[in-house]
Amino acid sequence: MLDLSAPYIQRGLIEVLLLAVIAGVLGTWIVLRRLPFYTHAIGTATFPGLVVAGPWGVPAQLTALVCAVGFGGVLERLQRTRRIDPDAAIGLLLVGALAVGVILASDVYESGAGVDRLLFGSLIALTPLDLWLTAAAAAAALVCDRLMHRSWLATGFDADTARAGGVRTALADRMLLVAVAVAVVVAIDAVGALLVTVVLTVPAATVRLFEPGLRTQQVATFALTAVEGVIAIAVADTFNVGPGPALAVLGALVYGAAALGAKHIHHIVTPKGATA
């Protein structure tokens, strides 16, 4: 049973509800635009910045954002050359960022927070500043979705046609990548650098199995993320484990159950012998 009088529980609940807003708005676009691997890579790319934040005496969110945006910029430049596969580029940069972070944490700097907390998050470590930053990111995500909705949809459906119709596809793509980077940075304190996808991707992917309309998917993703987040906090507090790992296990179980349910529903709805 959650002790709602405990300040860290209150902060944790507020954080997961704010992250649910971001997951509902941006998580849907991440899944539709096939950016889950990019999202995971962005989380990993922030690790070196998190390690040096303490010794340098600067906010961890600032160094994480610099690393995330820098990662996105280098990735975009590599993809423009068309000489390397996008997934291969992401994989190479991801491994490099993680290696640099581990080297800095073990041989160069002493991270007072501990590598485990940086990678997997901590419920107790959340501060009021974290909540304000997440609230600002949630508001920004809602504004971006409002302003860029048609551009993101058109670019994802048919970039060439959208470009011919006057849509600034390059700007739309950059706006989405930056929005995802910001979302990743504010989610790190709660779930850690390695597990941001359990908030920003897994719930949206779970809802997507049932192929709802876009707005329905966003609302359902918000609701699912909020419910899973609250349950994960209860589990983490009861068994003294990190909320990130608890949410990861819960999200995987729900996704598996949803996949079986969606397959059963599609089997019933689709007539025998018909093409799905």
Side-chain angles (χ1 to χ4, degrees):
M1 190 69 178
L2 282 176
D3 181 10
L4 297 180
S5 63
Y8 73 94
I9 293 294
Q10 295 173 1
R11 290 193 295 268
L13 291 174
I14 294 173
E15 179 76 2
V16 297
L17 292 177
L18 291 172
L19 289 175
V21 174
I22 298 175
V25 176
L26 290 181
T28 300
W29 289 112
I30 290 171
V31 172
L32 291 178
R33 296 293 301 275
R34 300 179 181 179
L35 294 174
F37 189 29
Y38 168 80
T39 304
H40 172 69
I42 283 289
T44 304
T46 64
F47 183 46
L50 295 174
V51 172
V52 303
W56 287 2
V58 297
Q61 293 87 351
L62 178 60
T63 55
L65 184 60
V66 170
C67 289
V69 174
F71 178 92
V74 173
L75 178 61
E76 183 185 24
R77 178 60 64 89
L78 288 176
Q79 290 177 341
R80 279 186 179 183
T81 64
R82 300 184 182 277
R83 296 178 181 176
I84 184 172
D85 180 77
D87 287 341
I90 293 175
L92 290 172
L93 292 175
L94 185 154
V95 172
L98 185 58
V100 169
V102 171
I103 292 173
L104 290 175
S106 59
D107 297 331
V108 181
Y109 297 108
E110 292 185 6
S111 176
V115 174
D116 56 342
R117 187 176 74 79
L118 296 177
L119 292 176
F120 303 110
S122 173
L123 180 66
I124 299 176
L126 290 175
T127 66
L129 176 60
D130 294 324
L131 302 185
W132 282 110
L133 290 174
T134 306
L142 290 170
V143 172
C144 285
D145 180 66
R146 179 74 174 179
L147 296 177
M148 304 299 296
H149 178 90
R150 292 184 178 180
S151 296
W152 286 346
L153 190 61
T155 303
F157 181 72
D158 190 336
D160 293 333
T161 301
R163 195 178 298 110
V167 177
R168 301 174 64 182
T169 57
L171 176 62
D173 285 341
R174 290 192 183 103
M175 286 291 292
L176 180 57
L177 295 181
V178 170
V180 172
V182 172
V184 166
V185 169
V186 298
I188 285 175
D189 281 320
V191 296
L194 291 184
L195 296 177
V196 291
T197 52
V198 305
V199 172
L200 299 178
T201 299
V202 176
T206 302
V207 173
R208 182 62 182 167
L209 291 170
F210 298 94
E211 301 180 1
L214 180 59
R215 289 306 185 191
T216 300
Q217 184 175 346
Q218 289 180 319
V219 174
T221 299
F222 161 76
L224 179 60
T225 306
V227 171
E228 288 183 352
V230 171
I231 294 175
I233 287 177
V235 172
D237 187 54
T238 301
F239 297 99
N240 193 28
V241 297
L247 186 58
V249 173
L250 178 60
L253 292 175
V254 173
Y255 181 87
L260 293 175
K263 182 178 180 180
H264 182 66
I265 291 174
H266 291 323
H267 179 74
I268 295 175
V269 172
T270 304
K272 189 176 181 180
T275 301

